[in-house]
Amino acid sequence: MTLTRANTAAKPRKEKPYRGRGSADIMKPTPGGLVGKYALLVGVLVIMVFPFLWQMSTSFKGATENIYDFPPQLIPAAPTLDNYAEVFRTIPVIDYAWHSLLVGVGTVITNVVFATLGGYALGTMKFRFKWVILAIFSSTLLLPAEVTLTSQYLTIKSLGLANTLWGVFLPGAIAAINVLLMMAACRMVPADALDAATIDGANTMQRLRHIVWPNIRGMVSVVALFSFIGAWDDFLWPLVVLSDPANYTLTVGMQYLSSNFAANPRVIAAGTMIGLVPIIVLFAVLQKHFFRGVEEGSVKG
């Protein structure tokens, strides 16, 4: 009996997720605030997730099912893969996905390498006209991509890279926002650690490799994920550069479905899901590193 009482007393009291009456813990919400918070989260979840669920449901519905029922029926009565088979019969999905993968992987590599080098220089080094370079990088963020579309195309055409995957890849090889993100991450590295490494005889690449890189890997994962998603989902630029269907990326190839199956949104929904699945899988695999990078806003001393 004594042992049982001791075990009962040793159990930690479960902490309530809300602030009780008379509590001074302002970091916890009141019961009403907790209910409101979860209600808001559920509302946002419905708004953002419902279109995806409806699209996925449509892709599995047969020709006899009405996809415009209200309220919508998210569970198909007779699920079928015929719409996905039609997509593969209509366009070379594997070839287009391979093209998108090549562009996406290349974009990730160049953005990680060059954004890290540029961010290190802007975040830790002192040199003349540094503020001018920062102003140029920042100003590019104020211009929508459509403004520079013509100049980019003329540049790519003059290089002889029109209608090639190199032409699709090159303008996105490095993004100004990624350089600024890496600059912010590099600024969080203690200057004393860099100075001590310099006194010990470490050169720039050694400081970058052994001191800076371990502290910015979280932000690197954010840059890598955003770069891949941007390259994979890009539609307008590949549509402008590519004219030969044999060189299409997946997003441009899927546009063929919209023009040929406008009367059958089920096939279009299946094509959309095929293009979306790799992004979902990638994010599911890398979400731990992604959120870790978002949380690492500073370097602990």
Side-chain angles (χ1 to χ4, degrees):
M1 179 66 68
T2 304
L3 182 60
T4 303
R5 290 178 179 176
N7 291 338
T8 303
K11 290 183 179 180
R13 182 179 297 178
K14 188 175 182 180
E15 192 173 350
K16 296 180 180 180
Y18 56 88
R19 183 171 71 244
R21 180 176 298 179
S23 174
D25 189 0
I26 61 173
M27 300 303 294
K28 293 182 180 180
T30 61
L34 184 65
V35 173
K37 180 176 69 172
Y38 279 103
L40 180 62
L41 288 175
V42 171
V44 173
L45 181 66
V46 170
I47 294 174
M48 299 190 67
V49 175
F50 178 77
F52 167 75
L53 295 178
W54 186 85
Q55 194 85 338
M56 182 172 63
S57 173
T58 302
S59 68
F60 287 107
K61 289 182 177 180
T64 58
E65 292 190 60
N66 185 7
I67 62 176
Y68 299 112
D69 284 337
F70 187 84
Q73 301 295 325
L74 295 180
I75 301 178
T80 178
L81 296 176
D82 291 343
N83 299 320
Y84 290 89
E86 186 64 33
V87 173
F88 279 89
R89 284 194 297 266
T90 305
I91 61 174
V93 175
I94 302 300
D95 293 340
Y96 290 168
W98 175 247
H99 296 164
S100 294
L101 183 63
L102 290 176
V103 174
V105 171
T107 302
V108 168
I109 294 174
T110 53
N111 271 275
V112 167
V113 173
F114 294 127
T116 300
L117 295 176
Y120 172 77
L122 293 174
T124 63
M125 294 183 175
K126 297 179 180 179
F127 51 89
R128 296 181 61 186
F129 305 113
K130 179 178 177 179
W131 66 271
V132 176
I133 298 176
L134 286 175
I136 294 175
F137 271 105
S138 301
S139 63
T140 59
L141 302 179
L142 303 177
L143 298 176
E146 291 77 11
V147 173
T148 59
L149 195 66
T150 302
S151 60
Q152 284 184 357
Y153 177 74
L154 293 177
T155 302
I156 293 298
K157 186 177 180 180
S158 64
L159 294 174
L161 298 177
N163 195 31
T164 65
L165 294 180
W166 282 104
V168 177
F169 154 77
L170 196 58
I174 182 170
I177 183 62
N178 292 334
V179 176
L180 296 179
L181 286 174
M182 297 307 299
M183 180 192 71
C186 290
R187 277 183 174 176
M188 299 300 175
V189 178
D192 294 341
L194 295 173
D195 293 339
T198 303
I199 294 174
D200 290 338
N203 57 32
T204 300
M205 293 306 299
Q206 289 173 332
R207 294 195 300 271
L208 179 60
R209 177 183 176 185
H210 297 290
I211 298 178
V212 177
W213 179 260
N215 291 312
I216 64 172
R217 283 182 297 185
M219 186 60 71
V220 168
S221 65
V222 175
V223 169
L225 187 60
F226 280 168
S227 299
F228 184 84
I229 293 176
W232 182 274
D233 290 341
D234 193 13
F235 170 75
L236 181 58
W237 176 245
L239 181 65
V240 171
V241 175
L242 301 175
S243 56
D244 186 359
N247 295 329
Y248 280 175
T249 57
L250 189 59
T251 51
V252 179
M254 290 302 173
Q255 178 65 18
Y256 184 80
L257 298 176
S258 299
S259 58
N260 287 270
F261 294 94
N264 190 358
R266 299 167 182 81
V267 178
I268 298 175
T272 303
M273 295 307 301
I274 291 174
L276 190 60
V277 164
I279 297 298
I280 297 176
V281 172
L282 179 67
F283 187 80
V285 172
L286 298 179
Q287 62 173 331
K288 180 176 67 174
H289 303 284
F290 173 78
F291 288 114
R292 183 189 302 169
V294 173
E295 292 173 357
E296 288 177 355
S298 63
V299 178
K300 297 181 180 180

